[in-house]
Amino acid sequence: MLIQRFKGKIHRATVTEANLNYVGSITIDGLLLDAAGIIEGEKVQIVNNNNGERIETYTIRGEEGTGIICLNGAAARRCQVGDVVIIIAYGYMTTEEALAFEPKVAFPGEGNRL
Protein backbone atom coordinates (compact mmCIF):
# COMPACT_ATOMS: atom_id res chain seq x y z
CA MET A 1 0.00 0.00 0.00
CA LEU A 2 1.17 3.53 -0.72
CA ILE A 3 0.60 6.47 1.60
CA GLN A 4 0.91 10.15 0.79
CA ARG A 5 3.60 11.86 2.84
CA PHE A 6 5.01 15.38 3.06
CA LYS A 7 8.27 15.36 1.05
CA GLY A 8 9.33 18.99 0.80
CA LYS A 9 8.24 22.54 1.53
CA ILE A 10 9.12 26.18 1.27
CA HIS A 11 8.24 27.59 4.68
CA ARG A 12 7.03 31.20 4.97
CA ALA A 13 7.84 32.69 1.59
CA THR A 14 6.39 36.07 0.64
CA VAL A 15 4.20 36.42 -2.46
CA THR A 16 5.93 38.83 -4.85
CA GLU A 17 3.43 38.80 -7.72
CA ALA A 18 -0.12 37.76 -8.61
CA ASN A 19 -0.90 37.42 -12.33
CA LEU A 20 -4.60 36.74 -12.95
CA ASN A 21 -4.20 36.67 -16.74
CA TYR A 22 -1.75 33.77 -16.81
CA VAL A 23 -2.82 30.21 -17.69
CA GLY A 24 -2.33 28.93 -14.12
CA SER A 25 0.13 27.64 -11.54
CA ILE A 26 2.75 29.18 -9.25
CA THR A 27 6.12 30.47 -10.42
CA ILE A 28 8.85 29.86 -7.82
CA ASP A 29 12.53 30.88 -7.78
CA GLY A 30 14.45 27.81 -9.01
CA LEU A 31 16.83 27.93 -6.06
CA LEU A 32 13.90 27.60 -3.65
CA LEU A 33 12.49 24.68 -5.63
CA ASP A 34 15.85 22.89 -5.51
CA ALA A 35 16.28 23.52 -1.78
CA ALA A 36 12.84 22.03 -1.08
CA GLY A 37 13.24 19.08 -3.46
CA ILE A 38 10.32 20.21 -5.62
CA ILE A 39 10.48 19.91 -9.42
CA GLU A 40 8.87 21.93 -12.18
CA GLY A 41 5.36 20.75 -12.93
CA GLU A 42 4.93 19.07 -9.55
CA LYS A 43 1.62 19.42 -7.76
CA VAL A 44 1.86 21.56 -4.62
CA GLN A 45 -0.43 22.79 -1.90
CA ILE A 46 -0.21 26.48 -1.02
CA VAL A 47 -1.24 27.56 2.46
CA ASN A 48 -1.80 31.30 2.86
CA ASN A 49 -0.95 32.36 6.42
CA ASN A 50 -2.67 35.72 5.94
CA ASN A 51 -6.16 34.49 5.05
CA GLY A 52 -6.20 30.73 5.71
CA GLU A 53 -6.72 29.77 2.05
CA ARG A 54 -5.41 26.39 0.89
CA ILE A 55 -5.11 25.76 -2.83
CA GLU A 56 -3.48 23.21 -5.09
CA THR A 57 -1.67 23.92 -8.34
CA TYR A 58 1.55 23.00 -10.12
CA THR A 59 4.95 24.65 -10.16
CA ILE A 60 6.77 26.64 -12.82
CA ARG A 61 10.51 27.12 -12.34
CA GLY A 62 11.28 30.82 -12.03
CA GLU A 63 14.59 32.56 -12.61
CA GLU A 64 17.12 31.58 -9.98
CA GLY A 65 18.04 34.18 -7.40
CA THR A 66 15.06 36.45 -8.10
CA GLY A 67 13.02 35.41 -5.07
CA ILE A 68 9.91 35.20 -7.25
CA ILE A 69 6.78 33.68 -5.77
CA CYS A 70 4.04 34.47 -8.30
CA LEU A 71 0.51 33.08 -8.12
CA ASN A 72 -0.86 32.73 -11.65
CA GLY A 73 -4.37 32.39 -13.05
CA ALA A 74 -7.20 31.61 -10.64
CA ALA A 75 -4.68 31.17 -7.79
CA ALA A 76 -3.99 34.92 -8.04
CA ARG A 77 -7.42 35.50 -6.49
CA ARG A 78 -6.41 33.56 -3.37
CA CYS A 79 -3.23 35.48 -2.46
CA GLN A 80 -2.09 39.07 -2.53
CA VAL A 81 1.39 40.48 -2.95
CA GLY A 82 2.97 40.51 0.51
CA ASP A 83 1.06 37.49 1.84
CA VAL A 84 3.15 34.84 3.60
CA VAL A 85 2.68 31.32 2.22
CA ILE A 86 3.86 27.79 2.84
CA ILE A 87 4.31 25.69 -0.31
CA ILE A 88 4.10 21.95 0.34
CA ALA A 89 4.79 18.96 -1.92
CA TYR A 90 3.73 15.41 -1.10
CA GLY A 91 4.87 12.06 -2.45
CA TYR A 92 3.50 8.53 -2.51
CA MET A 93 5.61 6.01 -0.63
CA THR A 94 5.36 2.66 1.02
CA THR A 95 5.14 2.80 4.79
CA GLU A 96 8.73 1.59 5.02
CA GLU A 97 9.94 4.30 2.63
CA ALA A 98 7.95 6.96 4.48
CA LEU A 99 9.41 6.01 7.85
CA ALA A 100 12.97 6.37 6.51
CA PHE A 101 12.36 9.43 4.31
CA GLU A 102 13.82 12.83 5.27
CA PRO A 103 11.80 15.72 3.80
CA LYS A 104 13.56 18.85 2.55
CA VAL A 105 12.54 22.21 4.00
CA ALA A 106 13.62 25.60 2.68
CA PHE A 107 13.41 28.62 4.98
CA PRO A 108 13.59 31.74 2.80
CA GLY A 109 14.63 34.99 4.40
CA GLU A 110 14.41 38.60 3.27
CA GLY A 111 13.39 38.82 -0.39
CA ASN A 112 12.74 35.04 -0.45
CA ARG A 113 16.49 34.40 -0.53
CA LEU A 114 17.97 31.31 1.09
Side-chain angles (χ1 to χ4, degrees), residues 45-113:
Q45 179 181 53
I46 303 162
V47 180
N48 187 326
N49 286 358
N50 292 72
N51 63 19
E53 290 278 355
R54 288 178 172 255
I55 59 173
E56 292 180 345
T57 190
Y58 64 92
T59 60
I60 293 177
R61 187 177 188 88
E63 186 177 342
E64 293 183 3
T66 60
I68 189 170
I69 301 288
C70 179
L71 280 294
N72 300 305
R77 295 239 188 246
R78 303 293 186 206
C79 295
Q80 295 182 21
V81 172
D83 283 357
V84 174
V85 295
I86 300 169
I87 302 161
I88 310 163
Y90 301 89
Y92 290 97
M93 304 172 197
T94 65
T95 301
E96 293 76 24
E97 289 171 324
L99 290 170
F101 185 79
E102 284 294 324
K104 292 185 176 182
V105 180
F107 294 96
E110 185 76 27
N112 292 327
R113 304 304 195 283

Side-chain angles (χ1 to χ4, degrees), residues 5-9 37-38 42-45 87-91:
R5 186 195 195 291
F6 150 63
K7 73 172 201 74
K9 74 175 175 174
I38 301 171
E42 186 169 355
K43 180 180 175 180
V44 292
Q45 179 181 53
I87 302 161
I88 310 163
Y90 301 89

Side-chain angles (χ1 to χ4, degrees), residues 1-43:
M1 177 186 307
L2 297 179
I3 62 169
Q4 193 173 26
R5 186 195 195 291
F6 150 63
K7 73 172 201 74
K9 74 175 175 174
I10 301 168
H11 191 77
R12 298 186 58 83
T14 302
V15 175
T16 60
E17 298 176 43
N19 185 353
L20 183 61
N21 296 314
Y22 193 84
V23 176
S25 68
I26 181 171
T27 305
I28 302 171
D29 180 319
L31 295 175
L32 290 173
L33 287 177
D34 293 345
I38 301 171
I39 63 171
E40 184 167 31
E42 186 169 355
K43 180 180 175 180

